[in-house]
Amino acid sequence: MDTNGLAAGLRLAMGRIVRRLRQAHAVGDVSLSGVSVLARLARSGPDSPGSLAELERVRPQAMASTLAGLEQRGLVSRTPDTSDGRRFIVSITAEGQAMLEQRRSESMGRLALALDEFTPQERQALQDVLPLLDRLAERL
């Protein structure tokens, strides 16, 4: 099996899926990096900007910019870090949670509609590959 060919095919297919889902959202919507930060905060709870930058694999300056945009829109809030007054902790707001849920619902709806056009056997094949894709994502 040609590993490089498989890698290229996976990258192309996943990139197309992500682009198509992203295109469905309104212009001026929250950036992909912003959505990723909101999802992380919703899943793991409040965190520091430095930790978020490390987890998202971006520079602290890029994270500061992302957080500033999210805060300006009321999607995250900052509170002083009780253990270190020079730092602050970022939390997702109710508005951020609602926006994240709406965006997920839209994406899930688009995916479900597209999957309805597949045969039951094709849907099962996609279901069967999910654990492998999860494992692949963990190794990247």
Side-chain angles (χ1 to χ4, degrees):
M1 173 174 292
D2 176 19
T3 304
N4 287 332
L6 176 58
L10 280 169
R11 185 174 184 276
L12 179 64
M14 291 187 303
R16 289 180 67 206
I17 291 169
V18 169
R19 272 192 308 280
R20 298 265 171 98
L21 289 173
R22 200 180 310 154
Q23 288 168 350
H25 298 289
V27 174
D29 199 5
V30 176
S31 68
L32 190 58
S33 59
V35 171
S36 181
V37 169
L38 289 174
R40 184 174 297 282
L41 290 170
R43 184 176 55 251
S44 302
D47 208 344
S48 71
S51 175
L52 288 168
E54 186 177 318
L55 291 167
E56 292 290 316
R57 297 181 181 171
V58 298
R59 293 184 9 204
Q61 297 86 346
M63 182 56 64
S65 176
T66 298
L67 291 174
L70 293 173
E71 186 175 23
Q72 184 177 19
R73 295 181 69 166
L75 303 176
V76 299
S77 63
R78 291 197 262 185
T79 55
D81 185 340
T82 56
S83 64
D84 183 347
R86 298 169 295 174
R87 296 180 353 151
F88 59 92
I89 300 296
V90 180
S91 303
I92 189 169
T93 63
E95 293 86 1
Q97 188 70 44
M99 190 281 305
L100 191 60
E101 290 302 319
Q102 177 186 359
R103 187 171 173 132
R104 282 181 181 154
S105 294
E106 290 171 7
S107 293
M108 293 281 288
R110 284 181 55 91
L111 281 168
L113 191 61
L115 286 168
D116 282 342
E117 297 179 21
F118 285 67
T119 68
Q121 294 82 10
E122 289 170 328
R123 287 193 301 271
Q124 186 61 52
L126 288 169
Q127 178 71 40
D128 292 345
V129 79
L130 289 177
L132 294 174
L133 291 173
D134 280 338
R135 200 168 98 205
L136 178 60
E138 289 298 319
R139 296 190 192 300
L140 293 176

